Amino acid sequence: MASEKPQVMVTCTAPVNIAVIKYWGKRDEALILPINSSLSVTLHQDQLKTTTTAAISKDFTEDRIWLNGREEDVRQPRLQPLLLCLSARKGTAGDGDALPLSLSYKVHVASVNNFPTAAGLASSAAGYACLAYTLAQVYGVEGDLSEVARRGSGSACRSLYGGFVEWQMGKQADGTDSIAQQVAPEWHWPQLRVLVLVVSAEKKLTGSTVGMQTSVETSALLKFRAEAVVPARMTEMTRYIKERDFHGFAQLTMKDSNQFHATCLDTFPPISYLNDTSRRIIQLVHRFNAHHGQTKVAYTFDAGPNAVIFTLDDTVAEFVAAVRHSFPPTANGDKFLKGLQVIPSLLSDELKAALAMEPTPGGVQYIIATQVGPGPQVLDDPHVHLLGPDGLPQRVA
């Protein structure tokens, strides 16, 4: 028999964030407490987002969750701590004995990403931030959700805010001071643009959780980075963002990305998230900057081969043309660029000569053009719910 109409149903979206000072390695695996602080840029949800619907009903017989159309085990290790953490929070919500809803109600959750999952594009950060935020709306839990989101995926706490976000590593053993805070809002630097160069949408061979654990155990460089390098870089990066200093921001972003991947190579056995196309993109960026005699473009790579490029609005068209020249699309050329509209630009012969790169057709599958964006949003339109009146998935967004 179909369930009654759910007691409460809420749909929210949450953004991807891209770290410019990287988090890699935990000092506490259970609580997901990092060995160093980190700083990220929240990308706009018009281009990259997770959408999550959560519903509770007295008629649901068990907790259930569907991710990208497929039902997952609700008891999975990364999900349970988040749900338990939220249960503890919802148990203290409300005034006196008046809890927002019966704690005995089961929950159904459906979540979809509009971008490749597990390919190094921070899908877990957006996913767990969205889950924590949506469930908090359902259960009436208020206040900072850093600890809740962090228990699913560490970097998810940064996706709870728009703009530029710091995740403070904290010092307390219980993790209560390991929280995310906004450094600057999404409208702070309107000229900043972001290009996601999708090299591969395949699931990465070494997951972030396993990779971090191995690095913490075996990399001397990682320990040095966390203790001696990152603290000063956090201060520097915060200053560059507040002053809208693109040169400083770009240079430090690239240096920190390089060092993060160096710690992966310093891990034993070594981990390599970059591929040949990733390295050619790095080369392209440096030659592009050298041609202009200034730092106009910056790259960063998370735990995957896909590049995230930072630049200013007046450079976007030329750099997109440089990417298209170096990695010409092999098919669907009209779909090579997604997201924000970019007016095509012609490359000068001087720049083509400066790039001095043999084209690699199909090396970059497509580009997503986006900008800095806001934090999680509640969607008021009931037509966007991913769950139907029976509490089961009704569509994939």
Side-chain angles (χ1 to χ4, degrees):
M1 186 177 73
S3 301
E4 296 288 330
K5 185 177 179 180
Q7 192 87 5
V8 174
M9 187 180 291
V10 177
T11 297
C12 301
T13 62
V16 166
N17 76 78
I18 297 297
V20 289
I21 302 296
K22 306 291 188 186
Y23 143 63
W24 192 253
K26 307 179 187 79
R27 68 177 191 274
D28 187 306
E29 289 284 341
L31 295 176
I32 308 192
L33 301 178
I35 62 171
N36 63 263
S37 297
S38 56
L39 204 154
S40 64
V41 180
T42 300
L43 305 190
H44 207 288
Q45 294 174 62
D46 283 352
Q47 286 77 44
L48 295 147
K49 68 182 176 185
T50 295
T51 303
T52 299
T53 297
I56 59 172
S57 171
K58 58 181 172 43
D59 298 306
F60 294 165
T61 58
E62 60 181 340
D63 294 332
R64 299 178 71 182
I65 186 166
W66 293 265
L67 302 179
N68 293 310
R70 190 176 76 180
E71 185 162 14
E72 301 285 345
D73 186 353
V74 77
R75 296 165 298 179
Q76 61 175 279
R78 295 178 67 174
L79 199 55
Q80 272 304 304
L82 185 149
L83 293 173
L84 290 171
C85 186
L86 200 70
S87 295
R89 293 279 291 275
K90 76 184 182 189
T92 61
D95 298 321
D97 296 326
L99 293 175
L101 287 164
S102 171
L103 295 180
S104 64
Y105 289 178
K106 299 298 183 182
V107 64
H108 285 189
V109 176
S111 187
V112 296
N113 294 331
N114 69 345
F115 58 94
T117 301
L121 285 176
S123 58
S124 61
Y128 283 106
C130 202
L131 179 60
Y133 189 81
T134 307
L135 290 174
Q137 305 299 315
V138 167
Y139 288 115
V141 174
E142 298 179 351
D144 181 62
L145 295 172
S146 288
E147 184 180 6
V148 179
R150 195 192 70 224
R151 296 295 294 273
S153 172
S155 52
C157 67
R158 298 191 308 247
S159 279
L160 291 171
Y161 297 92
F164 304 83
V165 186
E166 174 187 8
W167 175 15
Q168 299 171 344
M169 62 178 287
K171 295 180 180 176
Q172 301 296 329
D174 62 0
T176 52
D177 59 347
S178 183
I179 59 172
Q181 290 188 328
Q182 191 179 68
V183 170
E186 58 268 25
W187 58 82
H188 169 70
W189 200 345
Q191 299 84 9
L192 193 64
R193 294 291 180 271
V194 186
L195 300 169
V196 181
L197 275 51
V198 178
V199 171
S200 171
E202 297 296 315
K203 187 174 180 178
K204 55 198 176 196
L205 295 176
T206 305
S208 298
T209 302
V210 173
M212 282 187 205
Q213 201 166 359
T214 310
S215 293
V216 168
E217 291 168 358
T218 64
S219 173
L221 177 56
L222 181 65
K223 188 174 189 298
F224 174 78
R225 166 181 161 75
E227 295 174 359
V229 179
V230 169
R233 285 187 171 178
M234 289 291 294
T235 302
E236 279 183 78
M237 187 62 84
T238 299
R239 186 177 78 252
Y240 293 144
I241 289 168
K242 289 186 174 179
E243 295 176 356
R244 293 188 286 271
D245 177 348
F246 184 77
H247 174 81
F249 170 85
Q251 293 256 319
L252 188 53
T253 293
M254 291 188 283
K255 288 177 181 177
D256 203 73
S257 176
N258 293 344
Q259 191 180 74
F260 156 57
H261 287 281
T263 65
C264 290
L265 289 176
D266 188 52
T267 299
F268 194 80
I271 305 167
S272 182
Y273 288 114
L274 306 182
N275 62 19
D276 287 345
T277 301
S278 310
R279 287 182 279 271
R280 289 176 68 84
I281 292 169
I282 291 172
Q283 190 178 56
L284 169 65
V285 167
H286 286 294
R287 289 182 179 178
F288 185 92
N289 289 336
H291 170 74
H292 285 286
Q294 59 179 301
T295 305
K296 294 178 74 72
V297 181
Y299 57 77
T300 188
F301 294 82
D302 279 351
N306 301 307
V308 176
I309 302 294
F310 292 100
T311 189
L312 298 178
D313 53 0
D314 61 1
T315 305
V316 171
E318 187 182 30
F319 188 74
V320 166
V323 173
R324 186 184 278 269
H325 168 75
S326 303
F327 306 98
T330 52
N332 297 324
D334 57 327
K335 296 179 182 177
F336 185 65
L337 183 66
K338 306 171 187 285
L340 295 177
Q341 185 177 9
V342 177
I343 305 300
S345 170
L346 293 176
L347 285 191
S348 67
D349 291 337
E350 291 80 10
L351 179 52
K352 287 180 183 177
L355 295 179
M357 295 176 69
E358 190 69 31
T360 308
V364 172
Q365 295 183 13
Y366 57 91
I367 301 172
I368 304 170
T370 185
Q371 58 193 332
V372 185
Q377 312 284 306
V378 178
L379 303 183
D380 295 324
D381 182 359
H383 295 98
V384 301
H385 290 326
L386 302 176
L387 296 172
D390 58 358
L392 299 176
Q394 62 175 357
R395 71 185 183 92
V396 175

